[in-house]
Structures are given as structure tokens and as C-alpha cells.
Amino acid sequence: MRLRADEPKHRVWTRMPVGPPRRHRGYADRTSSNAFGRLEADRAPDMTHAGFTAFDATLRDGRTVHARAMCPADEAELLQAFNRMSDDARYMRFMRVVREPNLERVRRTLASFPERGMGVVATVPAADGVDIVGTAIYIIDSARPTCEFAVYVSSEFAGAGLARTLLTVLIDSAKNRGLSEMEGFVLAANQPMLRLASRLGFDIAPDPDDRSVRICHLRLNG
């Protein structure tokens, strides 16, 4: 994704929000964390993002994930999730080769929630507490009632319905906040994400500035 209010129109979308969607990259990141903080974040009641309440979701293959609001205490787990990503997954998420995450950007993004957007993580139990296996964020445009989104699901949970669950949460939240439009940018090669966006009602069109990219656009107010 590209989410950046001070840049010309960029792209958004795909896999792991270890940074903001692309358009607002200059604006969005921040965090600090420790193991205790990660556990507390996963257990705490969640009403911090425009009325969003944490919930457990049963996926198509029978596995269960815990979905809750993203918070600064997630920094370490988000970085671990980034390190577990394959080169291909990173390319799909960032639309370029990314070897190391931008920690300052991560922290600014996390600190911008919930005022400037929303983030959701899907977690499963792990030896160190939890692992993040899916993330979804949107960043609100500073000048218009619109937002850009990004979604990531780890390869171990691909095809189980987690991306649909997370993106549906984002859409519902954006509607509840009175936003009028949501958009994202996805590589044309990322057919699973394009099919999901289409099923959820997004219009999909080529990016006039980049033939390898598709723009996904959804009207939220009818």
C-alpha cells in the first residue's frame, strides 16, 4: 500500500502491514514492546478502534485465530512476522524488494491508530506467547473522508478465509467511521487478492501509472 498524505497518488495493498499502505508512507508509523506487553495486548478487551471488539474466528480448515486491534505492544511480533515472510511475500506486500523493515515507519503507523486509521492483527498461541499470522490496516486520508488499506496473511494460513475476515473488519470499521471510499493497490500477479477484493464488491481497474498494478476501489456509502 501507499498511504501518504503528502505524496502524489501512490499505491496501497497486499500483504503485511509492517508499515503503512503506500500512499501514506510518509505519515504513518510507531511502537515499543516487550513479551509481557504482547501477552497483555492479546488478552485485553478491545474497544479502542471505533467500537471494534476482539473476537475469535474459526477458519475454513477448522483452525481458530484471535482477532484484535493492533497496538504499539505488537512491534516485536510484527517484526518477527516480517522476518518469517518469504522474498515473494515481501514483494507482494511492498511491491518492491524489502530486506529490512523501517522501524521508525512501523512506530509511526502504530502510533497513528486509532485517530488516523485502524489496524487489526490475527494471532495464534506460540512458545513466546503469540504469533501474528495476519494483519490488516487502513489509513485515513488527511484531506478527504477516504482511506487506503493493506492486508497480509502468512503463507501457513493462506486460503483458509483469514484475509476475507480481516478485510471485512476493515470495511465495517470504515463504514462505521463515516468514510465514503476505500481503495488499495495490488499487483496484477496477485490473483488471490484480486479475486477476494472483487467478491467483496471492489471495482478493479488498471493503474494508469503502472501496468503491473491494479487499483481496487470500494464505495462505502452505497
Side-chain angles (χ1 to χ4, degrees), residues 100-157:
E100 298 291 337
N102 183 321
L103 288 178
E104 181 59 27
R105 180 171 293 160
V106 172
R107 291 167 181 168
R108 287 202 313 273
T109 300
L110 292 170
S112 72
F113 301 146
E115 180 181 0
R116 297 302 307 159
M118 178 185 184
V120 181
V121 295
T123 67
V124 295
D128 64 347
V130 298
D131 278 344
I132 291 175
V133 297
T135 61
I137 66 173
Y138 68 73
I139 304 295
I140 300 172
D141 192 286
S142 62
R144 303 178 300 145
T146 64
C147 64
E148 275 187 78
F149 71 93
V151 176
Y152 161 79
V153 171
S154 70
S155 59
E156 294 83 357
F157 283 78

Side-chain angles (χ1 to χ4, degrees), residues 80-219:
Q80 284 185 29
F82 175 87
N83 290 333
R84 290 193 297 267
M85 295 171 74
S86 67
D87 289 343
D88 178 67
R90 291 180 187 180
Y91 182 76
M92 286 291 197
R93 166 58 184 95
F94 300 105
M95 296 185 177
R96 58 191 175 89
V97 176
V98 177
R99 301 299 182 193
E100 298 291 337
N102 183 321
L103 288 178
E104 181 59 27
R105 180 171 293 160
V106 172
R107 291 167 181 168
R108 287 202 313 273
T109 300
L110 292 170
S112 72
F113 301 146
E115 180 181 0
R116 297 302 307 159
M118 178 185 184
V120 181
V121 295
T123 67
V124 295
D128 64 347
V130 298
D131 278 344
I132 291 175
V133 297
T135 61
I137 66 173
Y138 68 73
I139 304 295
I140 300 172
D141 192 286
S142 62
R144 303 178 300 145
T146 64
C147 64
E148 275 187 78
F149 71 93
V151 176
Y152 161 79
V153 171
S154 70
S155 59
E156 294 83 357
F157 283 78
L162 180 54
R164 184 186 185 99
T165 296
L166 294 174
L167 186 50
T168 299
V169 168
L170 292 191
I171 293 170
D172 289 345
S173 170
K175 287 180 177 179
N176 289 338
R177 292 182 75 154
L179 300 180
S180 60
E181 298 177 4
M182 175 180 282
E183 69 175 7
F185 295 72
V186 59
L187 289 171
N190 195 346
Q191 288 298 307
M193 299 304 287
L194 289 172
R195 288 194 294 269
L196 172 61
S198 180
R199 288 195 297 269
L200 292 178
F202 285 82
D203 294 322
I204 299 172
D207 183 343
D209 299 323
D210 188 338
R211 296 175 60 185
S212 71
V213 173
R214 299 293 180 265
I215 302 173
C216 303
H217 179 266
L218 179 68
R219 294 189 180 278

Side-chain angles (χ1 to χ4, degrees), residues 9-31:
K9 189 174 185 181
H10 286 104
R11 12 211 101 128
V12 189
W13 169 254
T14 6
R15 302 204 111 155
M16 159 146 230
V18 175
R22 289 170 103 131
R23 179 177 298 167
H24 296 83
R25 285 244 155 129
Y27 170 70
D29 334 16
R30 70 190 146 155
T31 287

Side-chain angles (χ1 to χ4, degrees), residues 41-57:
D42 215 55
R43 293 170 182 161
D46 188 346
M47 292 294 290
T48 59
H49 286 254
F52 171 70
T53 303
F55 64 94
D56 292 331

